[in-house]
Amino acid sequence: TQDVAITATCIRVPVMRAHAESINLEFADDISEKDALDALSKFPGVSIIDDRDKNRFPTPLDATTRDDVYVGRVRRDISRNDAKGLELFVCGDQIKKGAALNAVQIAELLVK
């Protein structure tokens, strides 16, 4: 039906200890893929892997045993009729970034 707006991401990877998420973001104002990548690249603890020409995007293997969260596959949400939605794919080590490292980083911020 024409009433249903759909976007999809399908990625198949064997996962031992890192996790991955397909995230749909909605913004109050228009945002481009480039602006989003520029902003994300400035955050500490975020690494960008987004190379469409080489079909290179983050995988759980990239994130395994690493502190950073890896972001890629940043693209316009084609289910929307405006420029306020983006899709992106994120991978992070569920042991380090998902639990222990986050606790340490939060404690460090509280001490400052």
Side-chain angles (χ1 to χ4, degrees), residues 9-107:
T9 298
C10 178
I11 298 174
R12 295 181 184 186
V13 292
V15 176
M16 294 285 290
R17 83 176 250 168
H19 57 248
E21 298 175 3
S22 175
I23 300 174
N24 179 284
L25 300 171
E26 181 177 328
F27 297 87
D29 297 315
D30 291 355
I31 186 166
S32 70
E33 296 168 12
K34 182 186 180 314
D35 288 344
L37 284 166
D38 288 347
L40 287 165
S41 70
K42 295 175 185 170
F43 281 98
V46 173
S47 290
I48 306 297
I49 302 175
D50 197 277
D51 188 341
R52 292 180 187 187
D53 292 337
K54 295 181 182 173
N55 199 31
R56 178 76 173 100
F57 304 103
T59 68
L61 187 58
D62 294 313
T64 298
T65 71
R66 303 223 166 80
D67 292 346
D68 278 9
V69 170
Y70 294 83
V71 178
R73 289 191 185 272
V74 176
R75 63 209 184 277
R76 174 130 357 262
D77 178 352
I78 61 171
S79 72
R80 299 180 59 92
N81 293 326
D82 58 24
K84 292 178 173 41
L86 290 177
E87 303 275 345
L88 53 106
F89 193 71
V90 178
C91 296
D93 185 302
Q94 62 195 20
I95 304 299
K96 294 189 85 173
K97 193 58 180 176
L101 182 61
N102 274 2
V104 170
Q105 289 173 328
I106 291 168

